[in-house]
Amino acid sequence: MPISVVIADDQEMVRTGFRMILESQPDIEVLDDVTDGAAALEAVERLQPDVLLLDIRMPEPDGLEVTRRLAERAATHPELHDRPRIVIVTTFDLDEYVHAALHGGACGFLLKDASPALLVEGVRAAAAGDALVSPAITLRLLRTMAPTAGRSAKAPSEPLTDREEQVVCALATGRTNAEIADELFVSLSTVKTHLANVQAKLAARNRVEIAAWAWESGLATGG
């Protein structure tokens, strides 16, 4: 089955461009493109897409509020299996937007000037339960979180094992599951098991929250 996508952005050129890029891929199907937050919520309810590409600054409710409402919906309706996976795609890479989106439940954050290949990769990663954040944003987050390492990070319900810490450190520096497996000389299924265990210990909703915790706790920076 192809990955089903809904695009929500108030700029027609952006919606058209994203649709052309995604529909050129044999494994991706764009179900609809809409212009505001209310239409995005309606389209999600009606179409149940795998992935929602969501702008932040658009008519009410904005993308951050849409993200919050869908996260709340997933929490109260577990039968929905946390669908859709939300990927924020925006012109604005302000730190407060990045933090709000990722902590609100989004599993990706890309800039609108990202390459077509990165956009496609972000959609595929989200559909697979993975996450992708623009490399430039990731590096800046590392820099901005490092000075406050250890001050705001919540404690896990159980201590992470040495191997779990290694997996989390690799994840926080942008490695995919396959890259982590190669780097640590373990199987892909082993990496997924470690991440599932860490996610439970941190009560994290997705791998982006795990990475954010790694930065905030100082684990990713050796703090």
Side-chain angles (χ1 to χ4, degrees):
M1 293 289 291
I3 300 166
S4 57
V5 179
V6 166
I7 301 167
D9 195 291
D10 61 349
Q11 294 182 297
E12 183 177 359
M13 287 183 62
V14 170
R15 296 195 310 275
T16 300
F18 285 174
R19 180 183 277 273
M20 290 178 62
I21 291 168
L22 296 177
E23 289 188 335
S24 70
Q25 303 300 309
D27 60 333
I28 298 176
E29 176 185 11
V30 178
L31 302 179
D32 200 359
D33 60 82
V34 299
T35 61
D36 58 50
L41 290 168
E42 188 278 330
V44 165
E45 186 70 28
R46 173 169 47 91
L47 300 171
Q48 296 294 303
D50 298 315
V51 177
L52 173 63
L53 284 184
L54 187 62
D55 188 23
I56 288 182
R57 289 190 179 180
M58 60 181 181
E60 292 293 329
D62 66 18
L64 296 179
E65 176 62 15
V66 170
T67 300
R68 187 195 68 77
R69 292 188 193 181
L70 290 176
E72 185 177 82
R73 169 178 173 265
T76 55
H77 296 83
E79 71 278 6
L80 298 176
H81 303 293
D82 201 24
R83 290 175 59 191
R85 306 283 184 175
I86 298 172
V87 177
I88 299 292
V89 188
T90 182
T91 306
F92 305 96
D93 66 338
L94 301 176
D95 287 340
E96 57 266 33
Y97 285 168
V98 179
H99 286 281
L102 299 184
H103 284 294
C107 65
F109 198 105
L110 304 175
L111 299 181
K112 287 183 180 177
D113 61 1
S115 68
L118 194 61
L119 178 66
V120 171
E121 184 180 353
V123 168
R124 288 177 177 152
D130 210 330
L132 189 120
V133 178
S134 288
I137 296 174
T138 300
L139 291 174
R140 194 176 71 245
L141 284 173
L142 283 165
R143 289 198 302 269
T144 58
M145 287 184 176
T148 59
R151 297 181 193 171
S152 60
K154 60 185 177 184
S157 59
E158 299 177 37
L160 272 59
T161 67
D162 290 343
R163 181 62 91 183
E164 287 169 352
E165 288 190 352
Q166 291 174 339
V167 170
V168 170
C169 285
L171 180 153
T173 53
R175 306 288 200 281
T176 65
N177 285 358
E179 289 170 339
I180 295 172
D182 290 342
E183 186 174 303
L184 299 181
F185 303 103
V186 297
S187 69
L188 188 59
S189 62
T190 297
V191 172
K192 291 180 179 179
T193 297
H194 285 314
L195 287 176
N197 291 340
V198 171
Q199 187 170 336
K201 290 179 179 181
L202 297 177
R205 280 174 291 196
N206 52 52
R207 62 188 282 127
V208 175
E209 286 195 358
I210 294 174
W213 175 85
W215 301 333
E216 291 166 351
S217 68
L219 180 63
T221 56

